[in-house]
Structures are given as C-alpha cells and as structure tokens.
Amino acid sequence: MFEKHPYSILVSQYLQERSFPSTPAYLYDPIRYILSLGGKRIRPMLVLMSARLFGKEDLNDVLPASCAIEYFHNFSLLHDDIMDKAPLRRGQPTVHMQWNDNVAILSGDALLVKAYEELANSPAGKIPSLLRVFNQVALEVCEGQQMDMDFENQDAVSEAAYLNMIKLKTSVLLGGALKMGAILANASEEQQQLIYDFGVNLGIAFQLQDDFLDVYGDPSSFGKQVGGDILCDKKTILRIKTEELATGALRESFENLIGTVALSDEVKVAEMKKLYGLLAVDEYSTQLKEQYMQLAYNKLSSIDVAEQNKAELFALADMLMNRAK
Amino acid sequence: MFEKHPYSILVSQYLQERSFPSTPAYLYDPIRYILSLGGKRIRPMLVLMSARLFGKEDLNDVLPASCAIEYFHNFSLLHDDIMDKAPLRRGQPTVHMQWNDNVAILSGDALLVKAYEELANSPAGKIPSLLRVFNQVALEVCEGQQMDMDFENQDAVSEAAYLNMIKLKTSVLLGGALKMGAILANASEEQQQLIYDFGVNLGIAFQLQDDFLDVYGDPSSFGKQVGGDILCDKKTILRIKTEELATGALRESFENLIGTVALSDEVKVAEMKKLYGLLAVDEYSTQLKEQYMQLAYNKLSSIDVAEQNKAELFALADMLMNRAK
C-alpha cells in the first residue's frame, strides 16, 4: 500500500542499516525477527511527514526519532502478544511462541531501550522535548493496554471508557509520532498540538473502523476472520453500544448470545449482526467514526502552513480510512 | 545500615514525593508496591555521592537521575522475578505472585518508562549525555540477565564468561549511577571514566563476595539459607572454578554432587564445601574479590579531587565489603 512511498523507502533503509549484536542470541535474534516481519511502517512515516509539513528540509535529523517510534511500536506488540497469548503476528509465530515467554519479555525490554537509544541520536537540543513526548505516549500506551485487559473482566464497559482506552492504546502513538516530527521542524507549541490532535482523532476513527470491518468487512481484503470479535465476545464499539441500547426481548437475545457455546460460529455471528441491525449500532459506529475523521481533518485544516503541503497527510488519512480512489 | 545517611534521607524523601495515578490500578499499584518494599537505595545514593565528589552543590539537580536509577533497578527486579519464577522479594511476595505475570510485565514496562521520565527532569543541557549512559547501562543489564539465563542451560561456563555476566547484570548499573553523578557535576570524561570503573569493579567484588557468603557466611547476618546456591546447582565463581580444576577422583565426586537428589541438603552442602576446600577455590575466590576491590580503590584514588572528598565513597565501599570497623 505504502511500500513505494519515498518516506517508506527512507524508513526501511534506515531500519535496515541498524545492526544488533550477534550475542546474546536469545536477546537480539527475537528483535531482528519481529522487525523483519514488516508492517506498513505508518508510524515512522508520520514522523517524517509531519517534519516535512512544517518545513524541515534535512530528514536525516528526523530518522532517529522515526525509528524510535517504530521500535516502540514493535516492543509493545511483543509484550502485548505475551499478555494476549497471541499465536501469530503478521502471519508468523509470535516471539513468545517461537522462543518462550522469558525471551519475549527480555528482548521486548531491550527493544524499548533501543528505542530510547535511537531517540538519543536526534539533534541534542531537541532531545529533552522529544523525550518528554515519547515518555508520555509510552506511559499512556501502557495504561491503554491495562484498560483493555481490565475490560475483559468487567461486566459492562461504557462508550466513554472504550473511546478513552482506544485513544491511549493506539491513537496517542500516532499523535506522538506527528508531534515529534513537528518538534524536529521547530513548529510552535500550538501547531504541535494541532498535528497531535489530528493523529489522535485519526487513530480513534481508524480503530472504530477496524471494529466495524471485523463484522462487515470483505474477508478477502480485510485479511481476518469475519466476525472474529463477535466469536470471542470482544467488547468492541458495536457490542458496547448494543449492551447500552438493548432492552426487553433484544436484551434477552443479547445476553443469550454472549459467551454461548451452544451455537455454531455462523449462527452466532448472524444472530449478533441481526441485533446490531435492529439497534442500528452499525450506523451509529459509522457516524461516530465519521465524527472523529472530521475532527481529524479539521485539525489538519487549521494548521498554519501552505495547503499544498498538507496533501500528503490528507492522502495518507484517506488511504487509512479506505477512502482512496 | 545506611538508613540514617543524609543522602539516603534525601533519596527517600524524593521517592516519597513522587506520586502515581490511582488508575489503572493494576498498572500503578504494583509499582507503588515494589517501591514500598524498600531496599538499601545504594544506587541512587551513588549518583548523589559522585555528584558531590566532583563538587556539585545543588543536589536538587541530581535527584531526578538518582530516582531514575532506582526505578530502573526496581523495574529489572520486577521482570527478573518473573523470569526466575521467584516467589519472594525482600521477604514479601513478588509482583507476579501477588498479582500475575501480565500485571508484572506491564507494570514493569511502565516503571521503566517512569525511569526515563525522571531522567527527563534533569537539567536540559545534561539530558543527552545522561540518556546515552542510561541507555547503554540498561541494554547491558538486559544482556547480563540473558547471559545468566543462558548459563543455566550450558554445561560449562568459563570464569571469563562469568565475570563478564556479573559485570553486565549487576556492576555496570553501579558504574552508570556514579558516571551520571559525575556528568551532572561537570566532571571531565576522563574523571567520569574513573568513577565508572570504580563502580564496576566494586560491583564485581561485591558479587564475588555474595557467592562466597552464600557458602561461608554467618546465616544470622547474611539473611539467606547457607548453601542455597550449592543446593540449586547455581553456577557461582566457586562452582565454576571447581569444575575447571577438579580432575580424577575429585572430578568424579563433583560430577556426582551436581544435580543429585540422593543426598540430604546438609550432606550435599558439606561434600561440596569439602571439594571447595581441597581445591582451594574458597581462597581463590577471596583473592579474586580482593583484586577487584583493589582495582576499584585504585580508580577512586586516581580521581583528581581533594582526598577528604573521597572519604564518603571509600566508607560506602568498605561497608558494602563488610570491612566496616
């Protein structure tokens, strides 16, 4: 999708030039492994795009921070996969499956430190403010992951709590990546905040869309089992809204569907989709997504640079939101 | 031992003034818990002592880095305890026992980020060089922990490999703490290196002494089961040297003792101690410890400040090495 984008190539080159010691092998092999699994490298690209948006010419100053963001993202995947007992990541065995939990814990720790090592390769005068943004985002991502795990054991989760969780777990990292690019380009604090808000709102919209596509997406292009979230009783925006709205007979149907093992997968997904339709939570989630998209676009529009400089970020946002022509 | 030292009081006050959010409780409660278990706070004191050694007057500039070192130390204990399946830490249940592995992984991650957050509260001009030292130490501690785990599955471990492992796993953090104090006091790179080397060599001597005391210490003052390392077949300097030197009948005795469950604890410890005596590895390890002590003292002696300023660090080293009068 973005593999041929010039910034994607820059990021990939920079990542490939990094090398890790050969020993201890159980510490560094898993890091090489997870980085080799690829991914779209959206987050590091955001750092570069934001720096360029605010007029930064020399992207060599920006690549270390961009790499730090990608390392952090991979660190969080590595540890989340242990906690979620995930067997696969990007179609390959997760690190804790390929090796073991201890290896995944410690190599994750080392990768987080490597992220800070990259950050420290940024221009010295920028390091204090980059470090502050990076730390805040990193802590919020931990908070979001804890909330996500807490939700699994909670009876009901409110829409507000859910939106806050996805903001922390996934969106602030997009905002932080963009803000770091802005800092490196000497943007004012006001402008830094606008591009941060663009990223956070875009991230929330993206996650809401992800929830929607899990149920209504085209399985051939979405790349996951359709209805997977329904089958594992995941508390998505669709389910949370259903729980909030369902009363009477619909409430009873909903309660019966949750946690049931008496139905086939197909029937459980179909029944839940029927409920979603009756309560119009599919439309509700689409509208909510659109609101966050609009918020994001408004923030980007408000940024005080020439309009043509924003085209790249608008295009990226459109592609992420499947609006590409 | 050091609780009434003025620097210990400064460190404790600073740590107590830090506060963590109340939620998510499973993220921050374990951090409050592990920090409340206490410990001697030697590492943060080293940052302050080194800064004062090099003439730093205002220790408020130094406390954030000192706190970062203590947070990092507790982060590493938290994750190491998961990996080692340790049930107790300072006489209390470890975090992964009190809560669970996931909580221990994620709260450890958050505590590592908090360490960097403290570091970022240092004087801005010092942050880039502090960050570089901190990152290097943090990565080396991860390497040391991985080597330690690797050794459990290796047949033979060389003395050199062992010394390198304890250097990375425990000693570089002492060296790094001292170096950070030196940086904050504007010491030259040469002086930074001397105080770093003092800490690393002191740390190695301390670990060698720890191996010795596990077998020969006074159980009432050492606070651990005597012979615990022998009973769990831990590869200490004593065992590594025995494996290197034992031949013929002694070799046979050694091989029979390792991993045996046929003997009572008392007999296994007594038999191994007999071997240690016959091969004089007890004396060897004491001499080796003395060499590292001497190296450490030489480094401190070489530092270019008034001799009376060094008294505090010499006294701390003496106390750590049980040489206090």
Side-chain angles (χ1 to χ4, degrees), chain B residues 230-231 233 254-265 268:
Chain B
I230 291 174
L231 293 173
D233 297 310
F254 172 75
E255 304 275 1
N256 289 335
L257 279 173
I258 294 300
T260 185
V261 287
L263 300 174
S264 72
D265 285 359
K268 179 166 173 173

Side-chain angles (χ1 to χ4, degrees), chain A residues 100-119:
Chain A
N100 56 51
D101 280 11
N102 283 359
V103 161
I105 292 170
L106 197 61
S107 59
D109 292 345
L111 185 51
L112 177 54
V113 174
K114 291 298 286 186
Y116 281 102
E117 210 176 81
E118 281 298 329
L119 205 63

Side-chain angles (χ1 to χ4, degrees), chain A residues 28 79 83 109 120 132 143, chain B residues 28 79 102 109 120 132 143:
Chain A
Y28 291 115
H79 278 192
M83 296 182 243
D109 292 345
R132 207 152 278 137
E143 291 179 359
Chain B
Y28 292 116
H79 277 191
N102 283 359
D109 292 345
R132 208 151 278 137
E143 292 179 358

Side-chain angles (χ1 to χ4, degrees), chain B residues 229-240:
Chain B
D229 288 347
I230 291 174
L231 293 173
C232 70
D233 297 310
K234 196 174 161 199
K235 292 182 182 106
T236 67
I237 186 67
L238 296 162
R239 168 166 160 185
I240 286 164

Side-chain angles (χ1 to χ4, degrees), chain A residues 272-287:
Chain A
M272 193 61 93
K273 279 174 83 165
K274 203 187 290 172
L275 275 182
Y276 289 170
L278 288 167
L279 294 163
V281 299
D282 47 350
E283 285 166 41
Y284 179 83
S285 83
T286 303
Q287 280 164 17

Side-chain angles (χ1 to χ4, degrees), chain A residues 21 23-28 72 75 79-80 82-85 101-103 105-107 109-114 116-122 124-125 127-128 131-132 134-136 138-147 149-150 153, chain B residues 21 23-28 72 75 79-80 82-85 101-103 105-107 109-114 116-122 124-125 127-128 131-132 134-136 138-147 149-150 153:
Chain A
T23 60
Y26 287 140
L27 190 66
Y28 291 115
F72 177 82
F75 143 78
H79 278 192
D80 285 4
I82 311 172
M83 296 182 243
D84 301 342
K85 302 198 190 303
D101 280 11
N102 283 359
V103 161
I105 292 170
L106 197 61
S107 59
D109 292 345
L111 185 51
L112 177 54
V113 174
K114 291 298 286 186
Y116 281 102
E117 210 176 81
E118 281 298 329
L119 205 63
N121 290 329
S122 301
I127 291 175
L131 185 57
R132 207 152 278 137
F134 192 88
N135 287 334
Q136 185 177 342
L139 208 54
E140 287 177 344
V141 170
C142 291
E143 291 179 359
Q145 168 67 6
Q146 186 60 54
M147 287 176 193
M149 294 195 294
D150 289 344
N153 305 313
Chain B
T23 58
Y26 286 141
L27 189 66
Y28 292 116
F72 177 83
F75 143 77
H79 277 191
D80 285 3
I82 312 172
M83 295 182 243
D84 301 342
K85 302 195 191 303
D101 280 10
N102 283 359
V103 162
I105 293 170
L106 196 61
S107 60
D109 292 345
L111 185 51
L112 177 55
V113 175
K114 292 297 286 186
Y116 282 102
E117 210 175 82
E118 281 298 330
L119 205 63
N121 291 329
S122 302
I127 290 175
L131 184 58
R132 208 151 278 137
F134 193 88
N135 287 334
Q136 185 176 341
L139 208 54
E140 287 176 345
V141 170
C142 291
E143 292 179 358
Q145 168 68 4
Q146 186 60 56
M147 286 176 194
M149 293 195 295
D150 288 344
N153 304 313

Side-chain angles (χ1 to χ4, degrees), chain A residues 144-167 208 211 233-246 251 254-255 258 281 284 288:
Chain A
Q145 168 67 6
Q146 186 60 54
M147 287 176 193
D148 197 15
M149 294 195 294
D150 289 344
F151 286 176
E152 286 174 32
N153 305 313
Q154 279 174 27
D155 277 344
V157 172
S158 71
E159 180 182 325
Y162 180 73
L163 290 171
N164 188 39
M165 183 279 284
I166 60 176
K167 175 183 166 185
L208 292 172
D211 284 0
D233 297 309
K234 197 174 161 199
K235 294 183 181 101
T236 65
I237 187 67
L238 296 161
R239 167 164 161 186
I240 287 165
K241 212 59 200 168
T242 301
E243 194 151 10
E244 186 190 318
L245 298 175
R251 181 78 191 185
F254 172 74
E255 303 275 1
I258 294 299
V281 299
Y284 179 83
L288 197 61

